Amino acid sequence: MRNHVEERQRWMAVLARASCQELEQAYSDLSDAPPYVWLRPPESGLVLLRGQAGETGTSFNVGEATMTRCALKLADGTMGFAFSLGRDQRQAELAALFDALLQRGGETVSVALKVISELERTQSLRRDLKSRKTASTKVDFFAMTQAREPE
């Protein structure tokens, strides 16, 4: 049970980080998009962001962020949910649809897992590129103080 929950959390994180264009492309690649009804149509609102200084620091309010949530149900009764940062309602809709597809049995699961793995790979490449760009600007202050001329 725990393994399935962790796997679903990973899928949901990948779907939440995916752009609307990536999800639209994956949706257009589906051979047969299933019909669905809304349990909760996409709606945008604010969430409070909390921060913490260090592992033992006191929590504090950082600010607010816009997010969109929705829930849908496929014809076979499978439900899909999505929460994403921003106000893109189509992104949340597609993420919820893929969440529902990942919970179904049969061939649609393998198609949805292929989409998730491709999105995850793309996101990993983006993260690595961003890390390399950030690392290239790193300044070693200890080395700078050691290189200083004695007075």
Side-chain angles (χ1 to χ4, degrees):
M1 172 86 173
R2 181 169 168 83
N3 195 17
H4 175 69
V5 170
E6 289 172 356
E7 193 69 12
R8 184 154 184 236
Q9 287 173 341
R10 186 177 64 83
W11 296 337
M12 296 295 287
V14 170
L15 289 169
R17 286 189 303 262
S19 70
C20 187
Q21 293 81 16
E22 291 170 328
L23 292 173
E24 282 286 2
Q25 180 60 46
Y27 180 74
S28 68
D29 292 344
L30 288 177
S31 58
D32 57 339
Y36 56 86
V37 295
W38 290 115
L39 297 174
R40 178 184 300 270
E43 57 186 0
S44 298
L46 294 174
V47 291
L48 180 64
L49 302 177
R50 306 246 323 142
Q52 182 177 356
E55 291 183 26
T56 58
T58 305
S59 294
F60 58 93
N61 295 339
V62 175
E64 295 175 332
T66 308
M67 64 152 276
T68 303
R69 68 179 180 178
C70 69
L72 54 81
K73 183 167 71 171
L74 301 179
D76 67 359
T78 307
M79 292 184 285
F81 303 90
F83 292 84
S84 61
L85 284 175
R87 290 187 243 174
D88 194 333
Q89 294 185 348
R90 179 67 175 162
Q91 177 187 8
E93 175 184 355
L94 292 170
L97 179 61
F98 278 106
D99 177 48
L101 292 176
L102 286 162
Q103 297 177 63
R104 290 173 93 182
E107 191 176 313
T108 55
V109 171
S110 62
V111 171
L113 283 174
K114 182 180 173 189
V115 167
I116 291 293
S117 63
E118 183 61 32
L119 289 172
E120 196 170 31
R121 187 183 68 77
T122 303
Q123 291 170 7
S124 177
L125 290 172
R126 266 195 302 244
R127 217 175 10 258
D128 290 345
L129 178 62
K130 188 174 182 179
S131 292
R132 282 196 305 271
K133 283 183 177 181
T134 302
S136 70
T137 64
K138 181 180 176 185
V139 176
D140 188 354
F141 290 102
F142 181 73
M144 288 177 65
T145 59
Q146 297 300 317
R148 208 171 63 185
E149 295 292 323
E151 294 178 13

